[in-house]
Amino acid sequence: MKKEDYRYPYRQKREKENKVKYFKVLCTIICVIALVSGILYQKGIIVIPTGNNRQNTGEERTTEDTQEDFSRFIQQVFVDEVTDNSITLNYTLKNKSPYEIEETEASLGDVGIDAMRESLFVSENRLASLETFEYKKLTDEQKLIYDIMKKMLKQNLESSELLEYTEYLGVTSGIQAQLPILLAEYNFYSKEDIDTYLELLKLIPDYFMKIENFERQKSKDGLFMSDTTAQAIIDQCKEFISDSSDNYLIKVFDNKIKKFKGLSEEEVSSYIDTNKKEITGYVIPAYESLTDTLTSLKGTGVNPNGLCGYKKGKKYYEYLVKTKTGSDHSIKEINDMLDKNIKQASKYMSKIITDSPDIYYESQNIKYPYDDPKETINHLQKAVKKDFPELSDNISCDVKYVDKSLQDSLSPAFYLTPAVDNYENNVIYINNSEKYDLSKIFTTIAHESYPGHLYQNCYFASTNPSPVRSIINIDGYTEGWGTYAELYGYYLAGLDRKVAELLEKNTIATLCLYAKSDIGVNYLGWDYKKLEKYLNQYGFSAAQSRIIFDSMVAEPASYMPYTLGYLEIANLKKEASEKLGSDFILKDFHKFILSTGPAPFDIIKERMDKWIDG
């Protein structure tokens, strides 16, 4: 599984009510309303009419007024989201001045049931504010933003009875796995960024403590993770802090600070000493505490199987699939779709092998044109120009390698989304662990670079979308495109056409089998034996089935965005091709998908129907 966007899932924070010990009797209701409204306005929870906004005056707003007010509304939402915590702000914006954002105190945001409830409160009020705008008076771009926000806010509210099923920890997507990369890639644009970074290190113990308390409550409620998952996270934490004096974050910081321009030798030395002190005094103890807590809770999990083993587990899985994929299909419809694609892919592969037996052996011993990641990226950057819209050649990509202490918990490669106002500068990490064969990583790099995530992100950013679009995350759209690009990579590698087709169909079938396993384990109630029996008919060994089972239990619905997202895009492409016939141009379709940007697939389809008619 590949991870490319390491921003925190954006969380909203409601202003805590001030504790007022004494209220004078003469305080009127109007004063109280004014006070509360002021607090909510400051937090961006409600929008007070300004300028030409006449929504509460009885006068109808003009089209121009409506569009201006909507722009202010989404701009405020953007600012509220990116200032929720320091990491999101640092990863999203290089230059804060255009948004009138001042330097804020270091913050990691908040976690736990109360934080999630506050998020729901914000969603509810934002939805109410959103629906005050007269839809027909908005621009086409504003209508798209309106549709996306409305759908996502409503989906967020559906989680109100499922909050206790949330999981902050995970073998690959958990905060304990992501945090080292988040900190390593924290941007030092100024000395203030360095100071904020060092303050963030001090906040980690308290942040982890809240997660530990949340896990203790899950244990009491009978919702704690399986022993296998807990042990995997424990081992991961121990590996990361195994060498405290030469920790990954110490080495990375030392290199970054020495390259930072404008610091004196004394300042460099002071920063290096301070960082080492904070890592050994705060970060490592936080990971030790998390390890101790999980060790003490291990064995309290009552369900060794998938989500459906819990009371509301099936409902929560439905919610996860919907929010992660951006697809409105029911689980049954998705399951049927997967069966259909497995059957089609298998049939196609059988025909290729029957017609040309040598193709199978060639596919087992393929040699890609490049095995060096940088050379691969350079090749792909040129190769995509035929079928994909033009993108500036000024886009840069820094290839980095995963530290040894993190290799076991991270995927073969991943892309880090850059700041919206610095999208030309990109980073891709390669995991050169012994368990990954870099000579076979060509299509994985296509997934992460061209025509995958790097290209996808940079192209959309080049269209100058509203900043609020940068905080909208639809994994199904993002990872669906990444998978689409990965499969396209076979045809960009200079392979024999039939070999490329065989490899493509095999990958599709494999992805569908993973997604089927996910549904089976987390929705249909398959235990390990039932999953093993199912996968065995497709050639999976018992050991492979065990790894897949443990993965599905640990992180439900994680494979769905890759598979279902790809199938949704493939279906859109097929529909466009059939309706346009000889007028269908692949590059134009790619441009449409990329220009639309992250959105639920039903909304994309509505826009595509108009695009086809146009």
Side-chain angles (χ1 to χ4, degrees):
M1 186 175 67
K2 309 170 185 70
K3 295 298 293 180
E4 77 300 326
D5 189 346
Y6 279 86
R7 293 183 193 157
Y8 280 11
Y10 60 86
R11 309 184 188 98
Q12 301 83 4
K13 199 173 182 181
R14 181 177 55 159
E15 179 80 6
K16 294 181 179 178
E17 296 179 1
N18 293 324
K19 294 182 179 179
V20 181
K21 293 184 178 180
Y22 306 102
F23 250 117
K24 293 182 179 180
V25 176
L26 294 179
C27 278
T28 63
I29 295 176
I30 295 177
C31 291
V32 175
I33 292 174
L35 173 64
V36 174
S37 297
I39 292 173
L40 297 181
Y41 173 67
Q42 289 175 357
K43 296 303 295 178
I45 295 173
I46 63 173
V47 177
I48 296 177
T50 58
N52 294 322
N53 189 328
R54 297 183 174 84
Q55 65 184 38
N56 289 338
T57 66
E59 298 179 43
E60 184 177 355
R61 277 186 289 179
T62 66
T63 297
E64 184 178 356
D65 291 339
T66 301
Q67 292 174 3
E68 289 179 357
D69 291 338
F70 188 80
S71 293
R72 281 193 288 270
F73 170 70
I74 60 176
Q75 183 84 334
Q76 187 61 52
V77 170
F78 171 73
V79 171
D80 290 341
E81 291 297 332
V82 299
T83 56
D84 175 68
N85 64 76
S86 300
I87 292 182
T88 296
L89 180 58
N90 182 265
Y91 270 65
T92 307
L93 288 174
K94 179 180 181 180
N95 183 11
K96 308 174 190 66
S97 57
Y99 305 94
E100 298 181 356
I101 297 174
E102 299 178 357
E103 292 298 327
T104 57
E105 291 185 6
S107 168
L108 289 172
D110 203 2
V111 291
I113 290 292
D114 289 342
M116 287 186 274
R117 286 173 180 158
E118 289 175 355
S119 174
L120 291 176
F121 179 83
V122 171
S123 293
E124 189 173 25
N125 283 280
R126 277 193 184 150
L127 181 61
S129 294
L130 183 71
E131 292 178 335
T132 64
F133 293 96
E134 195 170 354
Y135 185 80
K136 66 181 181 180
K137 291 182 178 179
L138 301 177
T139 66
D140 287 343
E141 181 186 12
Q142 288 177 334
K143 287 177 181 177
L144 177 58
I145 294 170
Y146 182 103
D147 291 341
I148 295 171
M149 287 184 64
K150 184 175 182 179
K151 190 176 188 71
M152 294 185 71
L153 288 169
K154 284 186 173 182
Q155 284 182 353
N156 192 30
L157 294 174
E158 292 176 11
S159 68
S160 60
E161 298 179 357
L162 304 166
L163 301 181
E164 66 273 21
Y165 287 86
T166 301
E167 185 58 81
Y168 294 108
L169 305 176
V171 179
T172 57
S173 63
I175 187 58
Q176 88 295 332
Q178 294 189 18
L179 190 58
I181 297 296
L182 280 165
L183 295 174
E185 289 299 323
Y186 193 90
N187 299 294
F188 290 167
Y189 298 123
S190 65
K191 285 181 64 176
E192 287 75 15
D193 290 325
I194 303 173
D195 295 331
T196 299
Y197 170 86
L198 293 172
E199 287 299 315
L200 287 175
L201 301 182
K202 298 177 183 178
L203 302 178
I204 294 173
D206 182 61
Y207 188 79
F208 273 28
M209 179 85 57
K210 292 179 181 179
I211 294 176
E212 291 169 38
N213 289 336
F214 184 71
E215 293 298 333
R216 291 189 185 97
Q217 187 59 51
K218 291 190 70 159
S219 175
K220 291 179 182 179
D221 295 340
L223 298 173
F224 188 65
M225 64 187 73
S226 70
D227 285 357
T228 302
T229 302
Q231 189 58 54
I233 296 173
I234 290 169
D235 292 342
Q236 182 185 94
C237 291
K238 287 182 176 179
E239 177 63 25
F240 172 60
I241 61 175
S242 59
D243 190 351
S244 59
S245 62
D246 194 31
N247 183 269
Y248 168 58
L249 292 178
I250 294 177
K251 293 183 291 186
V252 169
F253 183 88
D254 288 357
N255 290 331
K256 288 171 66 176
I257 212 69
K258 289 174 182 176
K259 295 178 182 178
F260 190 86
K261 297 179 180 179
L263 296 178
S264 66
E265 291 184 8
E266 290 77 14
E267 286 177 314
V268 170
S269 178
S270 176
Y271 273 132
I272 288 176
D273 290 341
T274 301
N275 177 66
K276 188 170 184 178
K277 179 183 176 182
E278 312 297 31
I279 295 296
T280 56
Y282 292 97
V283 179
I284 291 176
Y287 273 84
E288 289 174 339
S289 177
L290 180 61
T291 299
D292 292 342
T293 297
L294 293 180
T295 300
S296 67
L297 295 176
K298 189 180 169 186
T300 64
V302 298
N303 175 29
N305 298 317
L307 273 178
C308 58
Y310 299 111
K311 184 178 179 181
K312 299 178 184 178
K314 292 182 73 169
K315 186 175 181 180
Y316 184 61
Y317 182 73
E318 291 173 338
Y319 168 78
L320 278 182
V321 171
K322 183 188 295 185
T323 54
K324 282 177 174 286
T325 66
S327 173
D328 274 348
H329 288 294
S330 68
I331 302 298
K332 183 183 183 308
E333 289 171 337
I334 295 170
N335 205 29
D336 291 343
M337 191 187 306
L338 296 172
D339 284 333
K340 179 182 178 181
N341 278 273
I342 292 171
K343 184 177 180 180
Q344 288 178 343
S346 299
K347 184 178 180 180
Y348 199 91
M349 285 189 288
S350 296
K351 186 178 186 308
I352 292 176
I353 295 172
T354 300
D355 293 343
S356 308
D358 291 342
I359 294 296
Y360 172 77
Y361 298 102
E362 288 182 35
S363 69
Q364 300 300 302
N365 299 285
I366 57 173
K367 182 173 177 58
Y368 290 101
Y370 304 97
D371 55 16
D372 178 79
K374 291 184 179 180
E375 291 181 351
T376 301
I377 292 172
N378 290 335
H379 167 80
L380 289 168
Q381 186 177 13
K382 297 173 184 177
V384 299
K385 292 183 178 181
K386 178 184 177 183
D387 292 330
F388 296 84
E390 185 177 353
L391 181 63
S392 170
D393 290 332
N394 294 326
I395 304 297
S396 67
C397 181
D398 190 8
V399 175
K400 299 184 179 182
Y401 290 87
V402 173
D403 187 76
K404 187 175 181 180
S405 65
L406 302 172
Q407 287 178 347
D408 290 342
S409 58
L410 296 177
S411 55
F414 54 87
Y415 167 73
L416 292 176
T417 307
V420 295
D421 53 352
N422 191 36
Y423 71 86
E424 296 91 350
N425 298 303
N426 299 267
V427 174
I428 288 178
Y429 268 86
I430 304 296
N431 190 342
N432 57 349
S433 167
E434 293 180 356
K435 64 182 179 181
Y436 299 127
D437 183 357
L438 294 187
S439 68
K440 306 295 184 184
I441 204 174
F442 186 95
T443 54
T444 300
I445 293 179
H447 181 117
E448 306 300 342
S449 63
Y450 295 87
H453 295 317
L454 184 154
Y455 173 83
Q456 171 190 42
N457 181 77
C458 291
Y459 185 85
F460 183 60
S462 72
T463 65
N464 194 32
S466 170
V468 77
R469 295 295 303 275
S470 68
I471 62 171
I472 294 172
N473 182 34
I474 310 286
D475 282 348
Y477 172 90
T478 304
E479 292 302 346
W481 178 267
T483 302
Y484 179 87
E486 181 175 343
L487 296 174
Y488 213 90
Y490 289 120
Y491 299 94
L492 300 175
L495 304 177
D496 177 88
R497 180 80 184 181
K498 288 296 181 182
V499 171
E501 289 179 355
L502 183 62
L503 293 170
E504 177 192 30
K505 298 304 180 184
N506 181 66
T507 301
I508 292 172
T510 302
L511 285 168
C512 290
L513 287 171
Y514 284 151
K516 279 280 295 185
S517 299
D518 196 344
I519 292 175
V521 171
N522 289 296
Y523 194 77
L524 301 178
W526 294 1
D527 58 13
Y528 164 66
K529 287 296 183 183
K530 191 160 186 177
L531 177 66
E532 181 189 18
K533 182 179 180 180
Y534 172 75
L535 293 177
N536 181 257
Q537 63 184 316
Y538 293 100
F540 287 78
S541 67
Q544 290 171 323
S545 298
R546 170 53 71 178
I547 292 173
I548 294 172
F549 178 81
D550 290 342
S551 177
M552 302 307 169
V553 171
E555 298 183 281
S558 290
Y559 284 88
M560 298 303 287
Y562 297 84
T563 307
L564 187 56
Y566 164 74
L567 294 178
E568 290 278 13
I569 291 174
N571 287 338
L572 290 173
K573 178 180 173 182
K574 180 182 178 183
E575 182 178 337
S577 177
E578 290 175 349
K579 288 185 176 180
L580 289 169
S582 60
D583 290 330
F584 178 78
I585 300 173
L586 185 58
K587 181 181 284 191
D588 289 348
F589 173 76
H590 289 158
K591 183 177 181 179
F592 164 75
I593 293 292
L594 292 163
S595 299
T596 303
F601 285 106
D602 63 331
I603 293 176
I604 294 176
K605 187 181 182 307
E606 289 176 5
R607 265 64 187 181
M608 190 182 79
D609 290 340
K610 294 178 181 178
W611 173 73
I612 290 174
D613 292 340

